[in-house]
Amino acid sequence: MSAEAAATTGSQDTEAFAERIFASVLGAMDCLTIALGDSLGLYDALAEHGPLTPARLARHAEIDERYAREWLEQQAVAGLIDVAAPSDDPDERKYGVNDAQREVLCDRSLESYLTPLTQVLAAAGAQLSALETAYRTGGGVGWAAYGPRMRRGQADANRALFLSSLPTSWLPAVPELHERLTRGTRVADIGCGDGWSSIGIASGYSASTVDGFDLDADSVAAAQENAAHHGVADRVTFRCVDAATVEDARGYGLVTAFECVHDMPDPVTVLSTMRSMAEPDGWVVGVDERVPEAFTGPGDPVEQLMYGYSVLVCLPDGMSHRPSRATGTVMRPDVLRGYAQEAGFADIEVLPIDNDVFRAYRLLKP
């Protein structure tokens, strides 16, 4: 290749990479403005009452009219909402959401509802200074430091999946486990958060009872309210406790941990406790991220997402405790296998549950 051709190729590569970074900046701005609109109830107002002028949106959402107009214009320019009634007068222009926008931005019952991810990003960005300090010192940023926005975003991101797919397709895909739950068994749900996984299991299997365990008091309080709202409070209980210290909970037919083992500073002790909590023939199931089995460099979107979580949230949270295994979000199967074997399990088995983001494991007793 000639020097001139090499220079041209280099220039093209630079331009393409610069375009990628610029697109990322626009995407980050979209995420933050979506998080803002979500927190203020702007999408819900548009979905319920729209199309709306800026003044009408301001009245429904109880915000300032000038801010309402600027947000609406930005959302329309970004292609996130529609201009339903164009006008040269910015105060008379009307905006609304189409069906696709409503489902992704507003409908909390659907797994396509992605707005919670923007709340996670906003909460992580607010801790950038603390993250810089943690990276310099080897310290961490604990889960509580990220605040209610993070807790809500994380819980809402999995809500529809746990209420819908978990009881209707995930668990029925494992016949032996499905039959056990249908007959009725006791379930221990470790790291239950706002309780959606516990509620999903109880909603799908009326003969079974579920005990949820979580360290975060605010999450446990929310879980109790959510269980009552969904009519399963008589079969679902929640305890604010470190699962690694639980000694009085035994005899469960199923013990689960949904998307939380990678966050634990001491996963081996928790997994050992889960093994002890299960009946001799009881099942122990962990669900975590569907990342490739080995690191290869440029990865697929799921692995990119999980590394983003890890850099900004999960690894700093894990390292906020000492001692810590510092796992991070990208827990590959061999890492979980190693933890499981340290905890006294013989091996792990990937369960036939189809999902683009999550992988389900059965931890096998000796």
Side-chain angles (χ1 to χ4, degrees), residues 199-221:
I199 294 166
I201 294 171
S203 297
Y205 298 95
S206 59
S208 293
T209 61
V210 186
D211 295 331
F213 301 83
D214 201 278
L215 274 170
D216 184 67
D218 290 338
S219 295
V220 169

Side-chain angles (χ1 to χ4, degrees), residues 162 166 170-171 177 181 185-193 196-199 201 209-214 243 252-261 264 270-271 273-275 277-278 282-288 351 353 360-363:
F162 287 153
L166 176 61
W170 283 25
L171 294 172
L177 187 55
L181 288 163
T185 193
R186 296 175 66 223
V187 180
D189 188 15
I190 308 302
C192 63
W196 296 122
S197 51
S198 303
I199 294 166
I201 294 171
T209 61
V210 186
D211 295 331
F213 301 83
D214 201 278
Y252 289 97
L254 171 63
V255 184
T256 61
F258 291 93
E259 202 193 3
C260 61
V261 172
M264 297 173 180
V270 176
L271 291 176
T273 299
M274 291 172 65
R275 182 171 58 83
M277 294 172 76
W283 282 55
V284 179
V285 172
V287 174
D288 227 283
L351 295 175
I353 292 174
Y361 304 89
R362 181 183 182 184
L363 281 66

Side-chain angles (χ1 to χ4, degrees), residues 76-333:
V77 168
L80 299 172
I81 64 173
D82 289 343
V83 180
S87 173
D88 291 335
D89 184 344
D91 294 324
E92 294 302 318
R93 199 176 295 131
K94 292 184 178 181
Y95 304 83
V97 291
N98 60 41
D99 288 344
Q101 293 161 350
R102 178 188 55 78
E103 290 179 3
V104 175
L105 297 172
C106 306
D107 196 335
R108 293 156 180 81
S109 69
L110 301 177
E111 293 180 32
S112 57
Y113 175 59
L114 296 183
T115 301
L117 299 184
T118 70
Q119 296 290 358
V120 170
L121 181 63
Q127 295 301 316
L128 196 58
S129 294
L131 289 167
E132 291 172 358
T133 299
Y135 271 68
R136 288 194 176 99
T137 64
V141 181
W143 178 254
Y146 291 94
R149 188 185 298 274
M150 176 66 76
R151 181 182 66 77
R152 175 198 163 201
Q154 178 65 31
D156 286 355
N158 292 331
R159 170 182 169 169
L161 184 149
F162 287 153
L163 292 182
S164 179
S165 288
L166 176 61
T168 63
S169 62
W170 283 25
L171 294 172
V174 187
E176 184 180 344
L177 187 55
H178 174 67
E179 292 170 8
R180 177 184 291 256
L181 288 163
T182 300
R183 290 195 309 269
T185 193
R186 296 175 66 223
V187 180
D189 188 15
I190 308 302
C192 63
D194 280 20
W196 296 122
S197 51
S198 303
I199 294 166
I201 294 171
S203 297
Y205 298 95
S206 59
S208 293
T209 61
V210 186
D211 295 331
F213 301 83
D214 201 278
L215 274 170
D216 184 67
D218 290 338
S219 295
V220 169
Q224 292 168 338
E225 292 181 8
N226 293 333
H229 180 74
H230 282 76
V232 294
D234 59 327
R235 293 186 294 109
V236 181
T237 63
F238 297 99
R239 293 173 59 180
C240 184
V241 64
D242 182 350
T245 67
V246 174
E247 297 181 356
D248 62 341
R250 297 289 185 270
Y252 289 97
L254 171 63
V255 184
T256 61
F258 291 93
E259 202 193 3
C260 61
V261 172
H262 69 258
D263 291 312
M264 297 173 180
D266 183 11
V268 172
T269 298
V270 176
L271 291 176
S272 178
T273 299
M274 291 172 65
R275 182 171 58 83
S276 299
M277 294 172 76
E279 294 175 330
D281 66 342
W283 282 55
V284 179
V285 172
V287 174
D288 227 283
E289 323 301 354
R290 184 181 286 276
V291 293
E293 295 190 7
F295 177 84
T296 59
D300 61 29
V302 171
E303 190 176 21
Q304 292 177 40
L305 177 67
M306 297 314 167
Y307 265 115
Y309 270 123
S310 197
V311 166
L312 297 172
V313 184
C314 296
L315 181 58
D317 176 33
M319 291 186 66
S320 68
H321 306 273
R322 287 292 186 271
S324 175
R325 299 298 283 260
T327 306
T329 318
V330 186
M331 183 176 66
R332 304 189 194 278

